[in-house]
Amino acid sequence: MHSKRNTLINISLIFITCIVVLVCIVVRPKSNNNITPGESESETTSTSETSVSEEPSTESESDVALRLWYEASFSHLNINLSTSAPQTEPVFNTNAEIYNYAVGQINDRKYYNAIKHLQKIPNYKDSTQLQSKLYIIINQGVLITDYDSGYFVANNSMNTKTVNNKNNFIVRKDSFISNEKLCQQLSEGYIDSNGNFYVTTKMNEFCYNSGYKQLIDYNKTVKFEVVNIPPLANTNASRFNSYILTKEGNIVKLYDNLSTPEIDILIQPIDISILSSTEKIVYITNIYAYSNLGNIYVHTPGWKLNTAPVPNTLAFYNKHGIEFYLTNDGTITYDNYANETDFPAVKQWSDIIFFDAGSSPLNEYPDYCIGLTSSGAIYMALPHDSITKRILDSNCIYIAARAYGDKVYALTDSDDLHIYYIPNF
């Protein structure tokens, strides 16, 4: 009796067990068996699909390290440059109003706008002379590098003030434009208002005899307005080559005759017959000539002026193998025909009154460009970086800047000299 009952119970247990097993098989999920506790199936599936679709990073370990170094070294300097609203052009009724407005723009250091308005009244008062001085500041900057002695000199007045004797820095107060006794300040010396050229820098005998002596001798009969002496002319490794803008508005080239082993300085006038009767050259570089009417000319080659294919431009800077242009509205642009290192951030800049750049021959630090604004800010652009950096003290107003190797020198409106050191890799 008990044996039969036990048999029925065993059959029932087996039957119940089979049902439980079948239910478990039906209910059991058919997908991923490795679900993390607390994570839903949909989340896991999505994560799995994402990981499959991601492409492996193409950055090498060195690329990653360099990118992280850039971010750590420069990201705290990032600024957002908003597009400024276009300014309404003032309405003038007389030449005097235009002149007074231009002088006001000079006082606000908006040199590009001052030149643009002085070109409308080229023969009014001292508008031509003011243009010449403004071109000098825009093209040469206020700080001049003395390549022989390593001194940095502000291109402003005859009175020097030593800021830091320990580092041999000399700066000059911001009075170049208003100084009626000075036409041009050079690292080698200066030209006074009478057109006399003075060499004040101590230089070796070879440098002096290879060209500067001839400049002084030529100046005894021909008075200068502007002299363009390339920096390499002040070294033993080069032959002399300079351009002179005379008081009468003529352009003359003094250069060493390379066909002779001894120093033989030749004098070559440049044909300026292309100019109109009311036009006068107010500034020259070793390639370009700027007129008081706003026209730009190329004076090489051919020993005569030719129209330059770059209108509305106040300065040209050949940096990093690229020709940068400062336009007459204070913006920077460039043409990178040679596919050199790109600096996209500079195309966002405005209100620029001076531009410079530095690079490392041994790749110890990144190439860079700097721009000085009329309001006293100093911008920096880095290779392939579209975000502008603002360097040095944002609470200071800088009136001059110069890039020199891995250092940016900047002069404040209170005559303090500040230095920004480019981080080394």
Side-chain angles (χ1 to χ4, degrees), residues 166-203:
K166 182 173 62 175
N167 292 322
N168 293 330
F169 294 123
I170 297 179
V171 300
R172 302 174 190 266
K173 292 186 177 180
D174 190 13
S175 58
F176 168 63
I177 294 177
S178 61
N179 191 335
E180 296 179 355
K181 297 181 179 180
L182 185 64
C183 277
Q184 184 185 17
Q185 179 72 51
L186 299 157
S187 58
E188 300 85 0
Y190 64 93
I191 301 173
D192 68 15
S193 58
N194 295 320
N196 298 310
F197 175 58
Y198 298 93
V199 173
T200 58
T201 300
K202 292 181 180 179
M203 61 180 66

Side-chain angles (χ1 to χ4, degrees), residues 60-90:
S60 65
E61 290 186 7
S62 60
D63 290 338
V64 172
L66 182 61
R67 176 172 54 80
L68 294 176
W69 178 86
Y70 261 90
E71 292 174 357
S73 301
F74 300 108
S75 61
H76 64 287
L77 302 172
N78 290 351
I79 59 171
N80 293 320
L81 295 179
S82 58
T83 304
S84 57
Q87 299 294 319
T88 303
E89 181 72 15

Side-chain angles (χ1 to χ4, degrees), residues 78 87 95 113 151 164-165 243 268 275 278 290 304 318 387:
N78 290 351
Q87 299 294 319
N95 288 346
N113 207 29
Y151 281 59
N164 190 334
N165 283 324
Y243 289 92
Q268 176 66 54
L275 300 179
T278 59
Y290 303 83
K304 67 177 182 178
N318 195 328
I387 301 177

Side-chain angles (χ1 to χ4, degrees), residues 311-329:
N312 305 320
T313 303
L314 301 181
F316 300 82
Y317 310 96
N318 195 328
K319 307 289 184 179
H320 306 300
I322 304 173
E323 190 90 338
F324 292 88
Y325 314 108
L326 174 59
T327 68
N328 63 2
D329 61 358

Side-chain angles (χ1 to χ4, degrees), residues 82-300:
S82 58
T83 304
S84 57
Q87 299 294 319
T88 303
E89 181 72 15
V91 177
F92 305 103
N93 297 315
T94 65
N95 288 346
E97 291 180 358
I98 298 176
Y99 180 85
N100 292 335
Y101 176 78
V103 171
Q105 292 294 284
I106 292 174
N107 293 334
D108 292 337
R109 289 190 292 274
K110 293 186 179 293
Y111 304 137
Y112 55 89
N113 207 29
I115 287 179
K116 189 162 52 177
H117 285 82
L118 290 171
Q119 289 168 351
K120 299 176 182 179
I121 50 170
N123 299 311
Y124 184 81
K125 291 187 176 181
D126 61 341
S127 61
T128 296
Q129 290 74 24
L130 285 178
Q131 284 190 57
S132 179
K133 288 192 172 185
L134 291 171
Y135 274 112
I136 288 172
I137 286 183
I138 288 174
N139 284 268
Q140 297 181 356
V142 176
L143 288 176
I144 292 180
T145 307
D146 184 329
Y147 290 89
D148 268 4
S149 63
Y151 281 59
F152 283 79
V153 181
N155 179 22
N156 284 344
S157 76
M158 304 302 296
N159 299 317
T160 64
K161 173 187 175 183
T162 301
V163 171
N164 190 334
N165 283 324
K166 182 173 62 175
N167 292 322
N168 293 330
F169 294 123
I170 297 179
V171 300
R172 302 174 190 266
K173 292 186 177 180
D174 190 13
S175 58
F176 168 63
I177 294 177
S178 61
N179 191 335
E180 296 179 355
K181 297 181 179 180
L182 185 64
C183 277
Q184 184 185 17
Q185 179 72 51
L186 299 157
S187 58
E188 300 85 0
Y190 64 93
I191 301 173
D192 68 15
S193 58
N194 295 320
N196 298 310
F197 175 58
Y198 298 93
V199 173
T200 58
T201 300
K202 292 181 180 179
M203 61 180 66
N204 60 52
E205 186 178 358
F206 176 87
C207 286
Y208 182 79
N209 291 331
S210 66
Y212 288 94
K213 180 181 183 298
Q214 288 79 358
L215 271 176
I216 294 173
D217 290 342
Y218 186 63
N219 183 241
K220 292 176 181 178
T221 55
V222 178
K223 299 308 174 184
F224 302 166
E225 183 73 24
V226 175
V227 174
N228 182 272
I229 307 173
L232 287 179
N234 202 9
T235 67
N236 291 343
S238 66
R239 307 293 290 267
F240 195 81
N241 180 25
S242 66
Y243 289 92
I244 302 166
L245 175 63
T246 71
K247 276 289 186 183
E248 292 75 22
N250 297 315
I251 304 174
V252 180
K253 181 179 180 180
L254 267 67
Y255 63 101
D256 194 351
N257 182 8
L258 297 178
S259 63
T260 60
E262 68 278 0
I263 297 172
D264 180 21
I265 299 297
L266 303 179
I267 300 174
Q268 176 66 54
I270 306 298
D271 181 0
I272 60 172
S273 59
I274 192 175
L275 300 179
S276 68
S277 58
T278 59
E279 197 169 16
K280 183 179 180 180
I281 299 300
V282 295
Y283 182 73
I284 56 170
T285 68
N286 62 332
I287 297 176
Y288 298 101
Y290 303 83
S291 84
N292 59 344
L293 301 183
N295 296 320
I296 308 170
Y297 301 95
V298 177
H299 58 73
T300 55

